[in-house]
């Protein structure tokens, strides 16, 4: 299916200064948010206890807070609505192992005067386990970056690899900035969303890079500016359809998936938009600014092709016993 005419070449590179400027502002804003507001670590990474409580009527949040404050075990607990006014999430510091088995009973007794309710779930993560999970999550992201760099450097060349990595960092920083801005809990679900964005954005970038590589070999132009415009224009239908359908799916998840996956789906929405735009307006222009030479790359590829043909020719001669 073609949304845009393949023969039309749009001048995307004309917008490169504006797009890079906008990206710089978004990344800078995200970094400022991360440094000033920080991240709201969920119990997966910070350790602690989370209880989800469903009331028969609207949850009396002030009464719940007052009741919790009376019990030393729940001092400093955070109480927030979850999905609708009848449901709340209570977070408090990690408790000892001896109490972890019956914390639901203690909580039920503490809140007994606040109305009729049921405790839907209680999740407990120790501080040590939370710290280990945080370290492993960070390691997963760093290892992903290293493998991406290696893969693209082997498949294309180092300038493509650097452009892709900068583009990926751009996407992840913006997603993390959105997570900070909207106070989304950073937990295993959020980490999964970040890694998904990493893969999605990389896939989009590689498709455009692949087309750029093909056009370097086949195009008559030696200007990188023209080749990028031609490559992005020829993949525009595919990019639009893929990004559009993915965005539609995560929007459905956000609106109908329930409160429990709001953070996950919101991170994906921001990531899909940032990933799509960065593959066109960040990764591709960077190739020009890295002084990528079409002529040198073309000559290098022609040399490789000649070497392969020579090798194949020698193999055939050897099989025929002529060498």
């Amino acid at each position: 299916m073609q949304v845009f005419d393949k023969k039309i070449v749009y001048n995307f590179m004309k917008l490169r200064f504006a797009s890079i400027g906008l990206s710089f502002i978004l990344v800078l804003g995200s970094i400022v948010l991360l440094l000033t507001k920080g991240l709201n670590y969920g119990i997966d990474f910070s350790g602690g206890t989370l209880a989800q409580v469903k009331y028969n009527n609207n949850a009396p949040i002030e009464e719940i807070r007052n009741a919790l404050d009376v019990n030393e075990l729940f001092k400093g607990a955070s109480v927030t609505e979850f999905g609708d006014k009848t449901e709340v999430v209570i977070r408090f510091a990690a408790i000892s192992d001896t109490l972890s088995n019956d914390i639901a009973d203690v909580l039920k007794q503490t809140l007994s005067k606040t109305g009729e309710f049921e405790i839907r779930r209680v999740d407990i993560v120790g501080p040590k386990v939370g710290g280990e999970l945080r370290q492993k999550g960070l390691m997963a992201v760093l290892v992903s970056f290293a493998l991406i760099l290696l893969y693209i450097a082997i498949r294309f060349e180092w300038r493509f690899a650097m452009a892709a990595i900068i583009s990926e960092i751009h996407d992840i920083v913006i997603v993390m900035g959105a997570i900070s801005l909207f106070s989304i809990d950073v937990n295993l679900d959020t980490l999964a969303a970040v890694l998904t964005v990493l893969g999605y954005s990389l896939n989009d970038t590689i498709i455009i890079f692949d087309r750029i590589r093909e056009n370097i070999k086949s195009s008559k132009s030696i200007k990188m500016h023209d080749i990028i415009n031609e490559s992005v224009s020829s993949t525009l239908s595919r990019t639009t359809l893929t990004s559009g359908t993915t965005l539609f799916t995560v929007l459905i998840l956000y609106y109908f998936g329930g409160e429990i996956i709001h953070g996950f789906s919101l991170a994906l929405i921001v990531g899909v938009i940032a990933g799509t735009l960065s593959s066109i307006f960040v990764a591709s222009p960077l190739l020009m600014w890295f002084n990528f030479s079409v002529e040198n790359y073309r000559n290098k590829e022609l040399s490789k092709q000649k070497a392969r043909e020579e090798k194949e020719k020698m193999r055939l001669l050897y099989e025929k016993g002529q060498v």
Side-chain angles (χ1 to χ4, degrees):
M1 182 178 177
Q2 289 296 323
V3 179
F4 298 93
D5 191 337
K6 270 182 148 182
K7 294 176 183 174
I8 299 176
V9 176
Y10 301 96
N11 192 357
F12 290 99
M13 291 306 98
K14 187 180 176 183
L15 301 172
R16 65 184 183 280
F17 294 108
S19 59
I20 290 286
L22 179 62
S23 292
F24 179 76
I25 291 170
L26 288 174
V27 168
L28 188 64
S30 299
I31 291 172
V32 170
L33 269 174
L34 291 170
L35 292 176
T36 54
K37 190 177 179 187
L39 294 170
N40 183 29
Y41 287 109
I43 65 163
D44 290 357
F45 292 147
S46 62
T49 302
L50 180 149
Q52 185 180 336
V53 183
K54 169 80 173 173
Y55 279 80
N56 290 345
N57 300 307
N58 288 349
I61 291 182
E62 277 308 314
E63 286 183 40
I64 295 170
R65 285 178 180 147
N66 293 335
L68 292 172
D69 275 344
V70 172
N71 192 326
E72 194 64 31
L73 196 61
F74 304 114
K75 278 278 184 190
S78 144
V79 183
T80 52
E81 282 185 3
F82 187 76
D84 60 52
K85 291 184 180 300
T86 63
E87 208 156 351
V88 292
V89 161
I90 302 170
R91 293 182 178 83
F92 46 95
I95 58 172
S96 65
D97 293 340
T98 52
L99 277 172
S100 62
N101 293 330
D102 52 6
I103 188 63
D105 293 334
V106 177
L107 184 62
K108 193 177 287 185
Q109 191 177 350
T110 305
L111 299 179
S112 59
K113 293 181 180 176
T114 60
E116 292 185 11
F117 62 86
E118 63 167 323
I119 296 177
R120 293 196 153 182
R121 65 173 170 133
V122 177
D123 297 332
I124 301 171
V125 177
K128 188 179 175 185
V129 175
E132 287 175 0
L133 283 174
R134 196 163 60 235
Q135 285 179 1
K136 287 178 181 175
L138 180 62
M139 187 60 69
V141 175
L142 292 178
V143 169
S144 301
F145 273 124
L147 292 176
I148 288 168
L149 185 65
L150 182 65
Y151 168 70
I152 298 180
I154 292 172
R155 182 167 173 176
F156 298 95
E157 66 136 55
W158 70 268
R159 290 178 184 84
F160 282 91
M162 289 303 297
I165 285 294
I166 292 172
S167 170
E168 295 294 302
I169 292 172
H170 162 276
D171 299 343
I172 298 305
V173 170
I174 289 177
V175 170
M176 296 308 293
I179 287 172
S180 174
L181 178 65
F182 296 109
S183 299
I184 298 170
D185 278 357
V186 179
N187 51 30
L188 292 175
D189 292 341
T190 317
L191 178 63
V194 169
L195 291 173
T196 304
V197 168
L198 201 62
Y200 177 86
S201 174
L202 178 66
N203 183 53
D204 226 26
T205 304
I206 283 181
I207 285 171
I208 293 177
F209 280 1
D210 253 338
R211 189 57 60 91
I212 290 173
R213 186 173 58 171
E214 289 170 10
N215 286 340
I216 286 174
K217 295 176 190 171
S218 60
S219 175
K220 292 178 181 176
S221 173
I222 60 166
K223 292 181 180 175
M224 196 60 184
H225 178 281
D226 297 337
I227 291 173
I228 291 175
N229 278 335
E230 194 181 334
S231 305
V232 175
S233 298
S234 64
T235 55
L236 194 57
S237 289
R238 178 261 167 211
T239 303
T240 306
L241 288 171
T242 306
S243 301
T245 50
T246 308
L247 190 60
F248 177 74
T249 306
V250 290
L251 281 170
I252 293 290
L253 274 179
Y254 179 78
Y255 284 109
F256 301 107
E259 187 74 22
I260 203 161
I261 60 168
H262 265 186
F264 175 80
S265 48
L266 185 58
L268 281 179
I269 289 169
V270 175
V272 168
I273 295 171
T276 304
L277 295 178
S278 72
S279 59
I280 298 173
F281 295 110
V282 177
S284 302
L286 283 175
L287 287 174
M288 294 173 62
W289 287 330
F290 286 157
N291 290 325
F292 185 88
S293 168
V294 174
E295 204 166 1
N296 288 345
Y297 188 81
R298 193 176 284 165
N299 291 336
K300 200 186 297 179
E301 289 298 310
L302 282 174
S303 300
K304 284 183 187 174
Q305 190 178 344
K306 281 181 184 174
R308 282 195 297 269
E309 288 172 357
E310 191 64 31
K311 192 176 176 183
E312 180 64 15
K313 187 178 172 184
M314 291 299 291
R315 189 184 67 78
L316 290 172
L317 290 172
Y318 178 78
E319 286 177 356
K320 291 175 182 175
Q322 296 176 354
V323 291

